[in-house]
Amino acid sequence: MKRTIIYILSLLFFANMNVFARKEAFFQPIDSLSIGKGQILFTQNCTSCHQIKTDGIGPKLSGITSITSPAWVKKFIKNSQDVIAAGDERATQAFLKYKKAIMPSYSHLQETELNAIVDYLATTKPIKNNFKKDYGEGLKNPIPEPIEVSNLVIDVKQFTQFPVSSEGGKYPLTRITKLAPQPITGQIFVNDLRGKLYKMEGSTPVVYMDFAQLMPNFIHQPGLASGLGSFAFHPDFLNNGLLYTTHSEKTGSAKADFAYSDSIKVALQWVLTEWKIENPASGVFSGKPREMMRINVVSVIHGVQEISFNPMAKKGDTDYGLLYIGIGDGGAAENGYAFLTNKEERIWGKILRIDPAGRNSKNGKYGIPATNPYVKSTNKKTLKEIFASGFRNPHRIMWTSKGDMLAANIGHANIESLYKIEAGRNYGWPIREGKFVIHTDGDMNKVYPLPANDKTYNITYPVATFDHDEAKAITGGYEYIGSLIPALKGKYLFGDIPTGRLFYLDVADLKQGQTAQIKEWKLTLNGKPETLRNLCGNDRIDLHFGIDAQGEMYIMTKADGRVYQIIGAKE
C-alpha cells in the first residue's frame, strides 16, 4: 500500500533532493534513552511506509537530519498540512512530487515523542540509491485518460457509529475494515483491526470476540493492516459452528509453517485460526481455537488481510466449503527480497484455496483440494495450496452474481488493479504493476511499457485499473445484488482507501483480456450532497465497503468509525 496513515509524503523524498540541500551540521543526539524510544515510535508509526536504508512505500529516511534541520523535520511530522499551507518551498515541491498525497497530522504525539523520533532519525547516515540498474525515466503518466464523473448519485444514511478504539482519541478513531453477514442467520459482523470482532444487534455494535484477551501474543501495530485482519464464517456455520480468522502476532511467537532464511528479518507473524463455537445459535462467544497456518513476513505491510468462502457455491458444488486466503508479499519486493514472491515454492503474494476439513497439507492441519491447479505438479517444492499468484496485496476477494471471482490488489507507486481470478493464473507482481513493467533491481517507483515479447511471460492483466493521478489505494467493493435499489443492478461499487473517492463499473464489462471503464459517483447523505472527507473531518478517509445477507451495501470510514447504509440511487 502506498498509503497514508503515514504518507510521509515526504519526509523524505527530501533526502534525495539536492535542490533543497542544507548546510546544517549532522545532528547527533547523545541521549540513548531518547534514541531507543524514538526507534520504537518510528517502528510503530512510520515503518508501514518508510524504511531507513531502502525506499519503501515512501522514500528512505537515512540521513534526513543531515539534509534538513531537525526542527523542520519535527514540525513536518507534527502537522505536514500546516507546513504546506504556509507555502514552505520544500514541503510544497514534495507535495506536488507525491501527487498531492498528504500525511495526516501527528499533533497528538507529545513533544518528547516527536523529539525522540527526530533523535533516532539523526543517528542514521545518508545512503545513496542502491539500484543495481538504471532503466531510465519511466512513464510519467501511465494511464493518461481521466476517470469520468458520472451522473450517478447514491444516497446513504448513517447506520451506526463504532466505539473509539484508539488511545486518547487519536486518528483513526477505529480500524474497522470488513462488514459481512453470518451466512445462516444473516446477522452482520464487523472487525476492528485493533482486536475486536463485533456483532450487530440492530444498529448497535456488541463485542463478540476480543483477541487481546483470546490470544496472548496478539498485536495490532505497527502497520496499517496489522491486527485482526479478516474473518469468515463457514457456510454451514449453524450446524458445524466453525469460524475462521486471521491475526498478527509478535515475531517468534511460535514456529512458522511458512518461513525463509534466518538471515532475513521477521517483522511479525500472521496466523490463520479455526474456532469451534460451542453454541452457534448463541449471541455470546464461547469456543476453542485451532491454529491452521502461521506465516512469517518481512515487514508489517501486505499481510493476510482477507479470507473468504465463495458465497455463490451451494452444497454439492466443487467450491462449497473451501476457504480462499489472500496473502500479500509482506513487503518482500520493496525490501529487496523479490525472490520470495511469484514462485510456486513460496506462499507470499498468492491467493490460496484450502479445505478446512481436510488434513493432507504438509503440517496436517488442513486439506488441499484435488481440483487446485498445482496438485499434479511434479515439483516436490510446489505449494499445492496455491490457487493464483502474482499479487502485491490482494486485500479484498469477492464474487459476482455469475460466480466470477474478483480480487482488488493494492499497488505500489503507480497502479491500482482489479483482477478476475482464475485457477493457476499469474497476475504479474513483482515484475508487473498493473499493465506495466516494474524492475525489482531498479527504481520500483517507476513503471515502463510492456515489452514486445510480453506474451511469453503468460501474465494475466487487470480487468479494471487506475493510476495514482486519480487515487492511491484501491478498496475492493461488491456487485450490488440487493433488491431495494434497481438503479444499482449490475454495478460493481468500489473506491479509494485514503481519499475516499467513490467508483463504479458495469459488471458486464469485466472480461478477461479487456479493461472495463471506471466512473466516479457522487454521494448524498439523506438526500443532501456530501463528501466523505467532510463527514470524516479528516484528510485520510480509510474507506471500505460491506455487504449484508440481502445484498444491500454499506460504506465504512475507518477514520471516524462510522458506517453508512446505501439506501437509494439515481442517474
Side-chain angles (χ1 to χ4, degrees):
M1 302 164 119
K2 181 176 183 177
R3 315 305 139 229
T4 48
I5 200 175
I6 311 165
Y7 243 154
I8 293 187
L9 173 172
S10 87
L11 244 229
L12 295 355
F13 150 68
F14 309 136
N16 300 319
M17 293 174 62
N18 293 331
V19 67
F20 290 136
R22 296 286 296 262
K23 294 183 179 180
E24 282 99 329
F26 184 81
F27 176 72
Q28 178 62 54
I30 58 174
D31 187 346
S32 60
L33 291 178
S34 179
I35 294 171
K37 180 180 179 182
Q39 185 171 12
I40 293 171
L41 289 166
F42 177 82
T43 301
Q44 292 174 340
N45 291 280
C46 305
T47 53
S48 290
C49 294
H50 293 277
Q51 302 296 320
I52 296 296
K53 296 181 179 181
T54 60
D55 287 341
I57 291 169
K60 62 180 180 288
L61 304 188
S62 56
I64 179 59
T65 58
S66 67
I67 302 300
T68 186
S69 74
W72 189 94
V73 174
K74 185 171 76 171
K75 182 171 68 173
F76 192 87
I77 295 172
K78 189 171 184 179
N79 197 322
S80 65
Q81 297 174 47
D82 283 354
V83 178
I84 294 167
D88 182 276
E89 183 182 7
R90 179 176 299 143
T92 300
Q93 289 203 22
F95 174 63
L96 295 174
K97 173 71 174 180
Y98 279 82
K99 301 175 183 178
K100 300 183 180 180
I102 301 178
M103 84 180 207
S105 168
Y106 283 84
S107 57
H108 60 268
L109 293 177
Q110 298 176 8
E111 197 73 9
T112 55
E113 293 176 316
L114 291 167
N115 288 336
I117 293 174
V118 176
D119 284 355
Y120 167 64
L121 291 174
T123 65
T124 67
K125 296 181 179 180
I127 299 175
K128 294 182 178 180
N129 289 329
N130 56 353
F131 307 139
K132 293 181 180 179
K133 294 184 180 180
D134 183 357
Y135 291 91
E137 279 302 308
L139 297 172
K140 294 190 179 299
N141 189 4
I143 305 175
E145 300 80 13
I147 291 176
E148 175 186 329
V149 179
S150 73
N151 293 323
L152 179 63
V153 179
I154 295 180
D155 193 36
V156 303
K157 69 175 181 180
Q158 184 165 322
F159 173 66
T160 193
Q161 170 80 58
F162 273 80
V164 174
S165 61
S166 65
E167 295 180 3
K170 300 175 184 177
Y171 278 97
L173 299 182
T174 70
R175 297 178 69 201
I176 52 174
T177 58
K178 183 173 182 176
L179 181 155
Q182 196 261 63
I184 307 301
T185 65
Q187 187 173 31
I188 291 173
F189 283 75
V190 179
N191 71 311
D192 184 316
L193 287 168
R194 293 187 176 112
K196 289 184 173 61
L197 179 62
Y198 293 91
K199 60 176 182 175
M200 299 301 301
E201 295 185 353
S203 60
T204 302
V206 177
V207 175
Y208 182 68
M209 298 173 74
D210 185 347
F211 274 66
Q213 301 297 321
L214 294 168
M215 294 292 186
N217 294 316
F218 170 80
I219 57 174
H220 63 79
Q221 61 181 12
L224 295 180
S226 303
L228 175 54
S230 189
F231 65 93
F233 290 91
H234 192 282
D236 198 26
F237 174 75
L238 196 61
N239 292 316
N240 61 27
L242 297 178
L243 166 65
Y244 299 86
T245 62
T246 66
H247 72 278
S248 52
E249 294 193 356
K250 59 188 178 182
T251 301
S253 294
K255 183 179 179 181
D257 298 297
F258 299 95
Y260 39 77
S261 168
D262 59 11
S263 63
I264 304 173
K265 70 174 183 178
V266 177
L268 50 78
Q269 296 182 316
W270 278 92
V271 183
L272 172 67
T273 304
E274 177 185 82
W275 300 86
K276 176 66 174 177
I277 309 302
E278 293 179 2
N279 183 1
S282 173
V284 178
F285 171 78
S286 179
K288 296 180 179 180
R290 180 178 73 88
E291 184 172 314
M292 300 174 68
M293 183 185 298
R294 182 176 290 262
I295 306 167
N296 287 345
V297 289
V298 170
S299 74
V300 298
I301 58 177
H302 316 166
V304 189
Q305 292 179 248
E306 178 69 301
I307 53 175
S308 184
F309 291 94
N310 181 351
M312 302 301 167
K314 308 299 181 185
K315 282 189 176 181
D317 292 348
T318 300
D319 224 22
Y320 183 82
L322 301 185
L323 183 64
Y324 288 84
I325 307 165
I327 301 177
D329 78 344
E334 287 134 276
N335 284 277
Y337 308 112
F339 59 85
L340 291 179
T341 69
N342 211 348
K343 293 183 179 180
E344 296 173 15
E345 300 90 350
R346 303 285 192 177
I347 200 170
W348 300 276
K350 307 296 192 300
I351 291 176
L352 311 184
R353 183 173 68 171
I354 66 170
D355 179 4
R359 294 294 182 271
N360 65 332
S361 62
K362 185 176 180 180
N363 67 4
K365 297 179 180 179
Y366 56 87
I368 297 174
T371 53
N372 272 13
Y374 296 106
V375 164
K376 296 181 180 180
S377 173
T378 57
N379 181 351
K380 293 182 179 180
K381 294 183 179 180
T382 294
L383 301 179
K384 298 177 180 179
E385 298 92 334
I386 296 173
F387 187 78
S389 61
F391 304 98
R392 182 174 182 267
N393 185 7
H395 83 127
R396 287 293 175 268
I397 297 171
M398 70 292 295
W399 283 260
T400 69
S401 57
K402 292 183 178 180
D404 291 333
M405 181 180 174
L406 304 176
N409 183 65
I410 293 177
H412 178 54
N414 289 278
I415 307 297
E416 304 301 309
S417 302
L418 180 70
Y419 292 106
K420 183 178 178 181
I421 306 302
E422 296 176 349
R425 287 187 180 258
N426 183 337
Y427 294 86
W429 180 262
I431 64 171
R432 298 288 186 273
E433 185 177 6
K435 291 185 174 183
F436 301 92
V437 170
I438 189 169
H439 297 291
T440 58
D441 59 349
D443 185 347
M444 291 187 65
N445 289 326
K446 298 177 180 180
V447 292
Y448 304 84
L450 296 176
N453 66 339
D454 185 61
K455 288 186 178 180
T456 63
Y457 289 87
N458 199 27
I459 291 171
T460 302
Y461 290 112
V463 291
T465 185
F466 60 84
D467 67 11
H468 286 192
D469 281 344
E470 298 287 350
K472 306 300 178 183
I474 188 172
T475 180
Y478 299 91
E479 175 189 358
Y480 179 79
I481 56 174
S483 60
L484 301 180
I485 314 171
L488 294 181
K489 285 289 187 180
K491 289 181 170 58
Y492 174 83
L493 305 182
F494 64 112
D496 183 58
I497 293 173
T499 67
R501 282 190 74 184
L502 300 162
F503 303 132
Y504 81 92
L505 50 77
D506 293 323
V507 174
D509 293 338
L510 295 174
K511 298 175 182 178
Q512 207 73 277
Q514 299 182 26
T515 304
Q517 182 182 11
I518 297 172
K519 295 182 180 180
E520 183 175 5
W521 53 274
K522 295 298 183 182
L523 181 81
T524 58
L525 176 64
N526 300 320
K528 179 183 177 182
E530 265 294 1
T531 66
L532 292 177
R533 178 172 291 185
N534 185 56
L535 292 172
C536 280
N538 193 276
D539 283 318
R540 182 181 172 93
I541 310 305
D542 267 319
L543 171 69
H544 295 280
F545 286 83
I547 193 167
D548 65 22
Q550 289 73 44
E552 302 302 331
M553 290 183 61
Y554 301 78
I555 295 173
M556 295 179 286
T557 51
K558 191 163 68 174
D560 58 1
R562 292 177 184 169
V563 179
Y564 301 92
Q565 183 178 2
I566 293 175
I567 58 173
K570 61 181 180 180
E571 289 189 87

